[in-house]
Amino acid sequence: MAGFLTTHVLDTARGLPAAGLRIALYRIEGEARTKIAEMDTNDDGRTDGPILPQERFETGTYELVFHAGDYLRTAGHAELAPFFLDVVPIRFGMAHEDHYHVPLLLSPYGYSTYRGS
């Protein structure tokens, strides 16, 4: 099985998928941080395809950067600005050719993540 990476975002404060949230993916090599993808979530809070598809997959260290503040501003939380959470980086490793799924559960004052399936 070739590896790939997917993600999605749920707005736990509203109980809805986080549509229109910008996500950037970086590859980390030592001190270097290289952007390799950027996408917005769809109406289901997911990207339309893998953020790192099979043909571009390499094991290593990566960082997903979720632009939470921009999303929260447009999702009706503008009165909370400046936001407690603005940009949420999640750095993780992918050691095997596998499907990695890194979701974000987001609210204006907290978030959680895990390796999903």
Side-chain angles (χ1 to χ4, degrees), residues 11 13-14 68-86 107-109:
D11 181 335
R14 295 172 54 213
D70 293 342
Y71 165 77
L72 292 168
R73 188 172 291 104
T74 61
H77 299 290
E79 76 282 357
L80 301 175
F83 296 106
F84 179 69
L85 296 174
D86 186 19
S107 78
Y109 297 105

Side-chain angles (χ1 to χ4, degrees), residues 12-30:
T12 58
R14 295 172 54 213
L16 297 170
L21 191 145
R22 187 167 36 109
I23 304 168
L25 175 66
Y26 295 85
R27 181 167 172 82
I28 309 299
E29 296 178 280

Side-chain angles (χ1 to χ4, degrees), residues 6 28-29 51 53 56 59 86 88 94:
T6 57
I28 309 299
E29 296 178 280
I51 195 158
R56 297 186 60 208
T59 58
D86 186 19
V88 177
M94 297 188 294

Side-chain angles (χ1 to χ4, degrees), residues 30-85:
E31 295 298 314
R33 183 175 178 254
T34 305
K35 185 190 286 187
I36 58 174
E38 188 168 46
M39 298 179 168
D40 290 339
T41 56
N42 59 26
D43 289 343
D44 195 34
R46 300 174 184 275
T47 56
D48 287 332
I51 195 158
L52 184 60
Q54 291 179 351
E55 61 271 8
R56 297 186 60 208
F57 184 87
E58 294 181 61
T59 58
T61 302
Y62 291 84
E63 185 174 80
L64 281 168
V65 176
F66 298 87
H67 293 269
D70 293 342
Y71 165 77
L72 292 168
R73 188 172 291 104
T74 61
H77 299 290
E79 76 282 357
L80 301 175
F83 296 106
F84 179 69
L85 296 174

